[in-house]
C-alpha cells in the first residue's frame, strides 16, 4: 500500500518550522530586473494563496497572465489587476476535478491561438478524507495529479505549449508546484493506482505527500520525453514553496483547522513572499536551457531518488494514460 511521509497533519505542519528558519540560498538571484514582458503565463488555482500571489507577481513583472480558476471569476482577476497595476490579466474557467472542463479550457486556449511561455501548475488540495469526482476518481488524486497530466498533454498536443522555441530564445517553462513532504514517500503502488478508496484524515495527509511524489515522477518523465537528444525544448521543473499561510487547511475539520491555523499564522510565510522562488524559477536566465531542476524554496536540491528512476517514469506514464483513457474517450497523448 502506498504511504506518504506524514500521517499526522499537525506533525506535517510542524515540519514547516525548520523551513521557516532555513537559509534561502539563491534568494538574491531574483531582482527587480528580472522581468516577464512579452511572456504569456498560465497560473492554475490562482484565486487564493500561492496561485493568487503568483498571478500578481507575474503581472507586476510585465507578463500577460492567464488565471485558470474554478471560482471568483471575475473578482479575483480584478484584484490581481488592482494590486499588480497591470491590465494584462484574464481569467478562464478551469475545474481540474472535471475532465470536460480541462478539455474546454485547453481547447479555448488553442482556439484563441494562445502560446504559453510559462505554465505554473499550482492548483492543489489537502483534503481531510476521500471525495469522489464525477468521473469516479479520488478528488485529491485527480486535482493534485491526474489533471496536471491531462492538462499538460492537451496543451502540448494543441500546440498551446510550443515544443520548439518559445518567445525569442526563451523556451517554454513548466513549473509543477510540489511539496518537499514527497521525500520519503513509498514507491508508487500500481495495484491501487487510480482506484477510488475511502479514507480519513491520517491517510489524507499521507496521500497528499505521496501524490506529490507521483507528480514529481511525472514531471521528470515528461522532461525526459519532451527533451530528447540532449536538446532542451521545454524546461520542466518542480518546486516546493515551503510553508505558506494559505487557505489549504480550509477543508480540515473545525478543531484541526484551529490548531493548524495557529501554527500557520506563526511559522508559515505570506504567499507574496513564498511566490518569489517560483517566479525566480519561471523567469530567471539562471534556468535557461535547463530542465528537471528542483527547488525547495530558494534552495536547489534533489527530489526523492525514486523520482529519477527511468523505469518508474515509464510505468507511471503508461499507467496514467491508462487511467485517463478509462475516464475520457478523448484522451490525446503527446507524440514525440
Ligand atoms: N500552503 C503550503 O504550506 C504549501 C506547501 C507546499 C506546497 N503547497 C502547494 O501549493 C499549491 C497552492 O496551494 P495553496 O497553499 O496556495 O492553497 P489554497 O490557498 O487553498 O489555493 C489552492 C488553489 O487551488 C484551487 N483549486 C482547488 N481545487 C481546484 C479544482 N478542482 N480546480 C481548479 N482549481 C482548484 C483553489 O481554487 P478555489 O479558490 O476555487 O478553491 C485555489 O485557487 C498546492 O499545489 C499545494 O499543494 C502549499
Amino acid at each position: 500500500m502506498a504511504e506518504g511521509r506524514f500521517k499526522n497533519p499537525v506533525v506535517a505542519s510542524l515540519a514547516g518550522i525548520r523551513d521557516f528558519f532555513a537559509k534561502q540560498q539563491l534568494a538574491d538571484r531574483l531582482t527587480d530586473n528580472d522581468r516577464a514582458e512579452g511572456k504569456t503565463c498560465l497560473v492554475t488555482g490562482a484565486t487564493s494563496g500561492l496561485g493568487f500571489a503568483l498571478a500578481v507577481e507575474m503581472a507586476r513583472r510585465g507578463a500577460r497572465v492567464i488565471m485558470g480558476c474554478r471560482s471568483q471569476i471575475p473578482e479575483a482577476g480584478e484584484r490581481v489587476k488592482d494590486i499588480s497595476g497591470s491590465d494584462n490579466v484574464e481569467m478562464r474557467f478551469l475545474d481540474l476535478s472535471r475532465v470536460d472542463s480541462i478539455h474546454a479550457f485547453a481547447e479555448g486556449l488553442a482556439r484563441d491561438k494562445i502560446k504559453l511561455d510559462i505554465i505554473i501548475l499550482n492548483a492543489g488540495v489537502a483534503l481531510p478524507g476521500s471525495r469522489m469526482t464525477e468521473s469516479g476518481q479520488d478528488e485529491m488524486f485527480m486535482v493534485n495529479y491526474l489533471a496536471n497530466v491531462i492538462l499538460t498533454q492537451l496543451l502540448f498536443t494543441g500546440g498551446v505549449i510550443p515544443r520548439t522555441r518559445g518567445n525569442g530564445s526563451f523556451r517554454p517553462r513548466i513549473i509543477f508546484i510540489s511539496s518537499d513532504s514527497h521525500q520519503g514517500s513509498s514507491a508508487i503502488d500500481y495495484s491501487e493506482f487510480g482506484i477510488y478508496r475511502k479514507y480519513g484524515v491520517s491517510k489524507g495527509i499521507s496521500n497528499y505527500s505521496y501524490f506529490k511524489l507521483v507528480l514529481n515522477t511525472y514531471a521528470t518523465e515528461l522532461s525526459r520525453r519532451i527533451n530528447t537528444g540532449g536538446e532542451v525544448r521545454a524546461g520542466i521543473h518542480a518546486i516546493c514553496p515551503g510553508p505558506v499561510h494559505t487557505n489549504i487547511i480550509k477543508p480540515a475539520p473545525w478543531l484541526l483547522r484551529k490548531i493548524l491555523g495557529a501554527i500557520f499564522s506563526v511559522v508559515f510565510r505570506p504567499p507574496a513572499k513564498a511566490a518569489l522562488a517560483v517566479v525566480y524559477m519561471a523567469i530567471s536566465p539562471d534556468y535557461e536551457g535547463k530542465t528537471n531542476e528542483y527547488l525547495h524554496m530558494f534552495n536547489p536540491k534533489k527530489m526523492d531518488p525514486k523520482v529519477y528512476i527511468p523505469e518508474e517514469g515509464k510505468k507511471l506514464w503508461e499507467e496514467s494514460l491508462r487511467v485517463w483513457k478509462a475516464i475520457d474517450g478523448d484522451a490525446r497523448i503527446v507524440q514525440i
Side-chain angles (χ1 to χ4, degrees):
M1 196 171 63
E3 293 286 353
R5 175 161 142 215
F6 296 110
K7 288 169 198 68
N8 179 324
V10 177
V11 174
S13 300
L14 287 171
I17 294 178
R18 195 198 47 218
D19 291 351
F20 184 72
F21 293 105
K23 192 169 177 287
Q24 300 281 322
Q25 231 174 296
L26 301 179
D28 56 6
R29 297 289 307 164
L30 181 75
T31 70
D32 282 346
N33 295 330
D34 291 303
R35 304 282 308 169
E37 270 86 10
K39 310 271 190 305
T40 302
C41 172
L42 166 67
V43 184
T44 67
T47 52
S48 89
L50 186 68
F52 181 83
L54 284 167
V56 169
E57 191 59 23
M58 290 303 296
R60 199 177 71 75
R61 288 174 186 264
R64 172 189 184 188
V65 173
I66 298 173
M67 301 165 66
C69 303
R70 66 165 175 182
S71 66
Q72 297 183 58
I73 300 174
E75 309 88 79
E78 293 308 313
R79 286 205 311 279
V80 170
K81 287 182 188 169
D82 282 351
I83 301 169
S84 66
S86 166
D87 271 342
N88 210 356
V89 176
E90 63 177 278
M91 291 190 87
R92 290 180 179 233
F93 181 76
L94 173 62
D95 183 344
L96 291 160
S97 69
R98 285 176 34 208
V99 176
D100 59 344
S101 173
I102 305 172
H103 271 287
F105 177 78
E107 279 155 21
L109 294 179
R111 197 172 42 246
D112 295 343
K113 302 205 174 350
I114 288 171
K115 301 284 177 206
L116 296 173
D117 300 289
I118 299 162
I119 301 93
I120 305 179
L121 299 162
N122 162 78
V125 284
L127 299 176
S130 51
R131 248 172 19 195
M132 196 190 271
T133 66
E134 273 173 28
S135 56
Q137 290 299 309
D138 174 69
E139 184 176 330
M140 202 151 52
F141 171 77
M142 183 69 190
V143 175
N144 292 14
Y145 176 63
L146 193 65
N148 289 311
V149 174
I150 300 175
L151 184 57
T152 48
Q153 297 282 329
L154 292 178
L155 293 178
F156 272 119
T157 51
V160 178
I161 307 178
R163 255 186 290 163
T164 49
R165 294 206 152 212
N167 193 341
S169 65
F170 187 92
R171 283 143 172 105
R173 290 187 197 175
I174 306 178
I175 317 254
F176 289 85
I177 302 299
S178 186
S179 165
D180 209 51
S181 69
H182 83 278
Q183 309 265 11
S185 292
S186 69
I188 301 169
D189 181 351
Y190 292 104
S191 70
E192 58 180 36
F193 189 77
I195 296 170
Y196 177 80
R197 289 225 168 85
K198 282 197 162 211
Y199 56 83
V201 174
S202 62
K203 183 69 177 157
I205 191 68
S206 164
N207 276 351
Y208 172 83
S209 38
Y210 167 68
F211 292 148
K212 293 293 190 186
L213 176 119
V214 180
L215 185 70
N216 293 353
T217 309
Y218 171 72
T220 301
E221 180 65 12
L222 182 65
S223 173
R224 222 178 259 129
R225 289 185 183 235
I226 295 292
N227 301 310
T228 49
E231 192 199 350
V232 175
R233 297 194 182 101
I236 299 169
H237 308 294
I239 181 168
C240 170
V244 199
H245 192 185
T246 68
N247 284 332
I248 200 155
I249 52 170
K250 228 166 136 188
W254 182 83
L255 182 60
L256 184 58
R257 198 168 64 238
K258 292 284 161 207
I259 297 166
L260 295 178
I263 299 171
F264 269 50
S265 63
V266 180
V267 290
F268 278 42
R269 299 179 308 149
K273 206 165 176 193
L276 294 177
V278 183
V279 169
Y280 166 62
M281 200 169 217
I283 64 174
S284 169
D286 290 357
Y287 285 90
E288 247 157 53
K290 291 192 179 171
T291 191
N292 202 206
E293 300 286 330
Y294 176 60
L295 280 179
H296 180 197
M297 304 176 289
F298 270 104
N299 302 316
K301 210 170 157 177
K302 285 285 173 202
M303 295 180 262
D304 185 286
K306 293 186 282 299
V307 166
Y308 300 102
I309 301 170
E311 296 73 34
E312 275 295 308
K314 184 170 182 290
K315 175 90 174 149
L316 177 65
W317 184 273
E318 287 160 2
E319 286 294 305
S320 303
L321 295 178
R322 181 187 59 74
V323 176
W324 179 18
K325 279 180 181 166
I327 58 169
D328 178 9
D330 202 15
R332 266 173 270 143
I333 298 147
V334 183
Q335 299 297 336
I336 316 271

